[in-house]
Amino acid sequence: MPLLFKGIKELRNHIKSLRKEQGASVGFVPTMGYLHEGHRELIKSSKMQNDITVLSVFVNPTQFGEGEDYERYPRDLDRDLAVCEEEGVDVVFAPTVEKMYPEGFSTEVVVKGIEDVLEGKFRPGHFRGVATVVLKLLNIVNPDRAYFGEKDYQQLKLIERMVSDLNLPVEIVPVPVVREKDGLAYSSRNTYLSPEERESALSIYRSFLLAKRLIEKGNREADNIKVAIREFIMSHPKVKKIDYVEITDENLNPKDIIENGDRILVAVWVGNTRLIDNWKVEV
Ligand code: AMP
């Protein structure tokens, strides 16, 4: 079983002693729990590159907006511990909200620019919550490397920016999106989907394949591809609305003419579930 810590001091002391006594390198995988194949891939990458792997489970209230799914977000620490054991995670850190945000807490990390576009536009305050909690977690764990999924591509870019701007002594390692056999990106939120909704959710991945075919045929105008993606996704019965379909370069700058290495990013409501996904253009 991995060692479970709920206290910040205890975790810090443990990691400090591993470093001192064993000279261990530390890999860190921050999560909100309810672990799935995507998280497993992050763990595997960390295990390959580090002596010790630390995984955090913390559903961070400050990155959820009013009316979002903070309360109903799936939680099951025993299940997560079992996954961690299977994957050989050494240490699990699962702090309480009170420990992370004691009375009087008043600091916020703002990564300007990135937080105003795409997800940031639809989830005001979300990225301040993310940047603040990730900086806290990095300061608590003090890892050599930290692993982030490209599934949350904008989040990855935000963290890279923060780490570079603030000279944090950690290497950020990106991990490509992990998908189910039929293309749906693994997400803890997939548990909200009914079978019919899940079928409609497949339109997201299939729209990327459609875009790929169109681009291969020479359609490189971003506006045309965006319209095709929107129409395709919206033609599925359980899709309620699309928050955005955007095509950007790898640094999230919008593109007019699509080139290899660009990103197609989408946020789609399937029933009452909001799903995000993205795809790297490689044709
Ligand atoms: P979450 O628990 O959803 O906050 O995710 C924790 C980490 O796992 C983040 O870095 C995510 O980007 C990453 N992640 C979640 N789903 C996937 C996936 N399907 N493929 C790759 N990484 C993922």
Side-chain angles (χ1 to χ4, degrees):
M1 261 313 220
L3 268 180
L4 171 65
F5 290 90
K6 297 201 165 181
I8 294 170
K9 240 194 229 144
E10 294 81 353
L11 175 89
R12 267 211 169 122
N13 289 338
H14 181 68
I15 294 177
K16 234 187 235 167
S17 73
L18 286 174
R19 280 188 176 287
K20 212 167 157 190
E21 287 156 25
Q22 303 176 16
S25 60
V26 177
F28 177 43
V29 179
T31 82
M32 297 207 297
Y34 218 73
L35 304 179
H36 51 64
E37 287 303 319
H39 300 115
R40 284 184 195 258
E41 217 39 56
L42 269 62
I43 296 169
K44 287 194 172 91
S45 300
S46 170
K47 293 223 19 125
M48 282 208 293
Q49 298 180 327
N50 305 279
D51 301 321
I52 298 291
T53 291
V54 180
L55 179 139
S56 64
V57 174
F58 182 61
V59 185
N60 174 37
T62 68
Q63 70 189 67
F64 288 79
E66 206 132 310
E68 291 188 355
D69 58 344
Y70 175 67
E71 272 85 19
R72 76 165 179 146
Y73 196 86
R75 294 162 169 89
D76 189 341
L77 186 57
D78 288 337
R79 185 178 165 279
D80 291 340
L81 287 170
V83 172
C84 286
E85 172 157 36
E86 274 177 34
E87 295 297 335
V89 170
D90 302 281
V91 174
V92 172
F93 177 48
T96 59
V97 172
E98 292 71 29
K99 287 227 167 82
M100 288 293 275
Y101 301 109
E103 227 183 275
F105 188 94
S106 22
T107 303
E108 214 174 42
V109 180
V110 179
V111 182
K112 286 188 277 185
I114 288 187
E115 69 156 26
D116 301 325
V117 299
L118 299 160
E119 282 298 281
K121 240 191 215 168
F122 290 88
R123 303 186 68 188
H126 169 66
F127 283 125
R128 295 178 181 212
V130 171
T132 306
V133 80
V134 170
L135 180 57
K136 279 175 69 71
L137 289 168
L138 290 174
N139 281 333
I140 292 167
V141 175
N142 186 26
D144 297 276
R145 300 180 188 83
Y147 295 79
F148 288 85
E150 290 186 357
K151 161 75 167 45
D152 301 279
Y153 190 74
Q154 190 177 3
Q155 169 175 286
L156 167 68
K157 291 286 132 184
L158 174 102
I159 302 302
E160 285 177 346
R161 185 80 253 167
M162 174 180 80
V163 163
S164 161
D165 287 354
L166 299 181
N167 308 98
L168 302 182
V170 61
E171 180 190 341
I172 300 301
V173 183
V175 176
V177 183
V178 182
R179 302 181 179 283
E180 298 199 42
K181 276 207 182 72
D182 55 13
L184 184 66
Y186 280 102
S187 163
S188 308
R189 290 191 167 98
N190 291 352
T191 52
Y192 300 151
L193 300 170
S194 70
E196 297 79 24
E197 287 171 347
R198 195 186 175 288
E199 188 57 33
S200 283
L202 287 176
S203 66
I204 297 171
Y205 179 64
R206 291 179 183 157
S207 79
F208 296 154
L209 299 182
L210 168 69
K212 180 175 165 38
R213 286 198 299 277
L214 291 171
I215 297 166
E216 275 167 351
K217 278 196 212 150
N219 296 293
R220 293 202 165 253
E221 296 230 6
D223 281 348
N224 295 342
I225 300 297
K226 284 192 267 186
V227 168
I229 289 174
R230 272 183 183 276
E231 283 179 355
F232 179 78
I233 293 176
M234 282 310 293
S235 72
H236 291 72
K238 295 290 175 187
V239 174
K240 207 157 77 180
K241 66 173 170 170
I242 294 176
D243 275 353
Y244 60 81
V245 174
E246 198 51 79
I247 302 180
T248 71
D249 66 13
E250 64 174 338
N251 294 317
L252 299 175
N253 302 303
K255 290 290 295 272
D256 293 328
I257 302 296
I258 301 170
E259 291 169 291
N260 270 348
D262 289 347
R263 286 270 160 179
I264 301 178
L265 303 112
V266 306
V268 177
W269 286 88
V270 182
N272 291 324
T273 303
R274 188 174 183 279
L275 299 174
I276 60 168
D277 200 347
N278 70 90
W279 184 72
K280 183 178 181 181
V281 176
E282 271 171 335
V283 294

